[in-house]
Amino acid sequence: MRYHLGWVDRHGNPSPNPSSQGKALRPTLCMFACDALQGDPRQAAPAAAALELIHNFSLVHDDIQDEGTERRHQPTVWALWGTPRALVAGDAMQCLGDLSSLLANGEVPAKTAMRVSQLLTDSYLEMIEGQCRDLQFEQRAAIEPDEYLEMIALKTGALIRSSLAIGATIAVDDDDTVAGVARFGRAIGRLFQIRDDYLGIWGDEAIVGKSTDSDIVQRKKSYPIVFAFKHASGSSREELTRLYALESMEESDVDRVMEVLEEIGADKQTNELTTSTAQEALAALGSLELPPWATDDAEKLVEFLASRLF
Amino acid sequence: MRYHLGWVDRHGNPSPNPSSQGKALRPTLCMFACDALQGDPRQAAPAAAALELIHNFSLVHDDIQDEGTERRHQPTVWALWGTPRALVAGDAMQCLGDLSSLLANGEVPAKTAMRVSQLLTDSYLEMIEGQCRDLQFEQRAAIEPDEYLEMIALKTGALIRSSLAIGATIAVDDDDTVAGVARFGRAIGRLFQIRDDYLGIWGDEAIVGKSTDSDIVQRKKSYPIVFAFKHASGSSREELTRLYALESMEESDVDRVMEVLEEIGADKQTNELTTSTAQEALAALGSLELPPWATDDAEKLVEFLASRLF
């Protein structure tokens, strides 16, 4: 678990590796929401840790499922220690996440702590449901862009949304405010994933920390691909179908896929969806009554998520 | 999930298969403890369901880890649908277990519900810790019987103990009573596993629902085996070591292992440990103030667990 979190090397020696520690997006969002609503962010710390652990548990299991051998610039857990131990490491991390969220009980009233556990558990069931749909998509020929967006709203979006909703719940006892913050979170979640999909094809390998063309090589049905398969016609469609039917893709096949994607405008469409989702996030933000510093930080976050290069 | 629980067949058609539904030991213990302490067992139902789901999540993942192809007279989930889908089914079942335990919140005060979640989560972290040690044991030559007993106290015992402790927590707000019930649960947990180990070697295949010799064929380091390796000397030790070093075991090798185990007295020792653990359980029971019907039922349970054939 410590290795996966980037705290130690594969031998267990303390060797913090910042590039393997992830962005800590979810705990940051959780503590931010609490702070922005005039709560005490320290009260949100156990739940914030829980969110990061739950997220990382899902990554450890995802890597087993996808047979991914590299994550955050280092070999994945299953690749080093085999599936059985990686499976149990993921289970343990999930369980520690649950335990951490229960620690909120010492910080806030039991009723609030129960609500936090409920929000966390509901959202990671959605996450698992999303993972399940994602697995089903792998075995299907055609995926509608809308189905894809619904899947990522579950797989990635739910936990990002609940990160903010949980922070808000700890700060205030007001359903409307929590719902407003959750709306902002829903947009942020989509924004994050759509940009991830863009970077998975057009990102810079050295910055992203995994082979840039891996989404294509792995036949990952990310947004640009789903969009392209939906809108390709004539020779573009034939070529995409031929390339995706190949036993394995060479460098030149990947280049050709990227050319076809660009001919169809998949890159442009992905960027447009990023922009419109960023606008949704800003609109949701506008309806919240936050102090200026918080609105400012949240706007910067939206801008960062919409334009990040890693 | 429904297939694993024995509710539907592999095509999803309702086809309840009682022999694939398990014994429901944990939920029964939970509701029993609540009832025996004059609580309302209906209040314990969500937690009881949670315990069964957590137990079954661990089985689905265990089968992946052990590459077990049959469980409760039917093919395992990963054997039918592959590791990725089995992994996600287990994760979902675990999460539903968490959600189910949170449902207790509607039935009992939030403080009690938090305690229930805490007991459940603590115990399934122990369960995962036990699973982790079990995996480590597979790669080690010598395991001390005491280490083995400690491992099963975690892997199997913890959830059985918490089943009773959770039922008690829902019925009464009294730490001493809950601790007493947990003591009984600890003994019951060991009793269950030691008898399981006996049946894994000397049980009747048709009744047990998996190949009787599988614990030997799979080189499972169960109690009789650990005991035998510890106490074997001279030619018995040489023979055991030779047999366990074989690439694969034939029927005749399994028979020879069983003979050696019996020469060393591993069967007798396992039965003696069963008897002394049953006595511990009865002693713990004696210190509880339960109504006669409950003491009677609990005694019958101890007797059943100590002598069951399946």
Side-chain angles (χ1 to χ4, degrees):
Chain A
M1 289 188 277
R2 287 190 301 252
Y3 166 81
H4 172 81
L5 293 168
W7 299 350
V8 301
D9 66 17
R10 70 178 74 182
H11 307 293
N13 297 322
S15 164
N17 182 359
S19 70
S20 299
Q21 287 176 4
K23 292 172 284 288
L25 174 65
R26 290 154 195 82
T28 307
L29 290 175
C30 177
M31 295 182 78
F32 167 77
C34 185
D35 203 9
L37 292 164
Q38 280 93 57
D40 178 353
R42 284 170 300 185
Q43 291 187 331
L51 287 154
E52 187 65 6
L53 288 163
I54 296 292
H55 171 56
N56 279 282
F57 127 72
S58 80
L59 297 181
V60 172
H61 281 188
D62 268 23
D63 288 335
I64 298 173
Q65 289 165 338
D66 303 342
E67 299 181 3
T69 54
E70 201 181 313
R71 155 96 55 196
R72 296 178 189 151
H73 307 273
Q74 63 180 19
T76 51
V77 177
W78 79 267
L80 284 181
W81 290 289
T83 293
R85 295 182 72 183
L87 206 165
V88 96
D91 286 344
M93 215 182 284
Q94 171 276 314
C95 188
L96 288 175
D98 279 348
L99 275 181
S100 186
S101 92
L102 292 170
L103 287 177
N105 194 28
E107 306 282 338
V108 295
K111 211 182 119 207
T112 308
M114 281 304 292
R115 247 189 336 233
V116 166
S117 282
Q118 187 82 47
L119 284 167
L120 179 68
T121 312
D122 283 342
S123 67
Y124 84 80
L125 184 59
E126 287 183 59
M127 177 184 85
I128 293 167
E129 161 84 27
Q131 175 64 10
C132 194
R133 291 198 197 178
D134 198 14
L135 284 172
Q136 286 164 348
F137 284 0
E138 281 174 21
Q139 305 179 350
R140 278 176 45 189
I143 316 291
E144 290 291 318
D146 281 353
E147 285 180 296
Y148 177 76
L149 294 175
E150 211 180 300
M151 184 276 285
I152 61 168
L154 294 166
K155 187 177 172 181
T156 325
L159 206 60
I160 290 178
R161 182 200 72 222
S162 78
S163 298
L164 285 155
I166 286 170
T169 299
I170 291 169
V172 298
D173 186 7
D174 171 14
D175 291 349
D176 286 349
T177 302
V178 173
V181 170
R183 250 192 318 277
F184 174 64
R186 204 167 286 124
I188 288 285
R190 178 189 284 194
L191 186 54
F192 176 78
Q193 185 60 51
I194 292 294
R195 185 67 188 164
D196 219 51
D197 284 4
Y198 181 88
L199 295 172
I201 293 175
W202 293 282
D204 184 301
E205 175 174 2
I207 303 176
V208 175
K210 52 183 178 179
S211 174
T212 305
D213 44 16
S214 71
D215 279 6
I216 292 175
V217 170
Q218 289 178 38
R219 324 294 160 98
K220 215 167 145 182
K221 288 167 182 161
S222 68
Y223 184 74
I225 306 292
V226 170
F227 176 84
F229 268 96
K230 165 99 178 166
H231 293 282
S233 58
S235 63
S236 302
R237 166 169 289 275
E238 276 165 34
E239 182 130 34
L240 263 189
T241 307
R242 180 186 69 76
L243 288 160
Y244 268 74
L246 289 173
E247 196 69 32
S248 77
M249 283 196 203
E250 304 297 317
E251 190 82 25
S252 62
D253 300 319
V254 174
D255 289 346
R256 191 62 200 117
V257 170
M258 287 175 73
E259 278 170 35
V260 176
L261 292 180
E262 287 155 28
E263 281 160 31
I264 300 170
D267 54 340
K268 200 164 153 277
Q269 166 64 20
T270 305
N271 283 332
E272 275 170 18
L273 184 59
T274 304
T275 306
S276 66
T277 308
Q279 281 159 353
E280 270 174 49
L282 294 175
L285 188 62
S287 74
L288 293 170
E289 284 168 30
L290 300 182
W293 72 262
T295 303
D296 196 45
D297 276 3
E299 283 172 359
K300 279 187 190 138
L301 174 71
V302 171
E303 199 183 317
F304 167 73
L305 289 178
S307 59
R308 70 196 171 94
L309 300 174
F310 55 90
Chain B
M1 290 189 276
R2 286 189 302 251
Y3 167 80
H4 172 80
L5 293 168
W7 299 350
V8 301
D9 65 19
R10 71 179 73 182
H11 308 293
N13 298 321
S15 164
N17 181 0
S19 70
S20 299
Q21 287 176 3
K23 293 174 282 290
L25 174 64
R26 292 154 193 82
T28 307
L29 290 175
C30 178
M31 295 183 78
F32 168 76
C34 185
D35 202 9
L37 293 165
Q38 280 92 58
D40 179 354
R42 283 169 301 185
Q43 290 186 332
L51 288 155
E52 188 64 7
L53 288 163
I54 296 294
H55 170 57
N56 278 284
F57 126 72
S58 79
L59 297 181
V60 171
H61 281 189
D62 268 22
D63 288 337
I64 297 173
Q65 288 165 337
D66 303 341
E67 299 182 4
T69 54
E70 200 180 314
R71 157 96 55 196
R72 297 180 188 149
H73 308 274
Q74 64 180 20
T76 51
V77 177
W78 78 268
L80 284 181
W81 291 289
T83 293
R85 297 183 70 183
L87 207 166
V88 97
D91 286 346
M93 215 180 286
Q94 172 278 314
C95 188
L96 288 176
D98 279 347
L99 275 182
S100 186
S101 92
L102 293 171
L103 286 178
N105 194 27
E107 305 282 338
V108 295
K111 211 182 118 207
T112 308
M114 281 305 291
R115 249 193 332 238
V116 167
S117 283
Q118 188 81 47
L119 285 168
L120 178 69
T121 312
D122 283 342
S123 67
Y124 83 80
L125 185 58
E126 288 182 60
M127 176 183 86
I128 293 167
E129 161 84 27
Q131 175 65 9
C132 194
R133 292 200 196 177
D134 198 16
L135 284 172
Q136 286 165 347
F137 285 180
E138 281 173 21
Q139 305 178 350
R140 277 176 46 189
I143 316 292
E144 290 291 318
D146 282 352
E147 285 181 295
Y148 177 76
L149 294 175
E150 211 180 300
M151 183 277 284
I152 60 167
L154 295 165
K155 186 177 172 182
T156 324
L159 205 60
I160 290 178
R161 183 200 72 223
S162 78
S163 298
L164 284 154
I166 286 170
T169 299
I170 290 168
V172 298
D173 186 8
D174 171 12
D175 291 349
D176 286 348
T177 303
V178 172
V181 170
R183 252 193 316 279
F184 174 65
R186 204 168 286 123
I188 288 285
R190 177 188 285 194
L191 186 55
F192 176 80
Q193 185 59 50
I194 293 294
R195 185 68 188 165
D196 219 51
D197 285 5
Y198 181 87
L199 295 172
I201 294 175
W202 292 283
D204 184 302
E205 175 176 1
I207 303 177
V208 176
K210 51 184 179 183
S211 175
T212 304
D213 45 16
S214 71
D215 279 6
I216 292 176
V217 171
Q218 289 176 38
R219 324 292 161 99
K220 214 166 145 184
K221 287 168 181 160
S222 67
Y223 184 75
I225 306 292
V226 169
F227 176 84
F229 268 97
K230 166 98 177 168
H231 294 282
S233 59
S235 63
S236 301
R237 167 170 290 277
E238 275 165 35
E239 182 130 35
L240 264 189
T241 307
R242 180 186 68 76
L243 288 161
Y244 269 74
L246 290 173
E247 197 67 32
S248 77
M249 284 196 202
E250 303 298 315
E251 189 82 26
S252 62
D253 299 319
V254 173
D255 289 345
R256 189 64 200 117
V257 170
M258 287 176 71
E259 278 169 34
V260 176
L261 292 180
E262 286 155 29
E263 280 160 31
I264 300 168
D267 53 340
K268 199 163 154 279
Q269 166 63 20
T270 305
N271 282 332
E272 275 169 17
L273 184 58
T274 304
T275 306
S276 65
T277 308
Q279 281 160 353
E280 269 175 49
L282 293 175
L285 188 61
S287 73
L288 293 170
E289 285 169 29
L290 300 182
W293 71 263
T295 303
D296 195 45
D297 276 3
E299 284 172 358
K300 279 187 190 139
L301 174 70
V302 172
E303 198 184 317
F304 167 73
L305 289 178
S307 61
R308 67 194 172 97
L309 301 173
F310 56 91

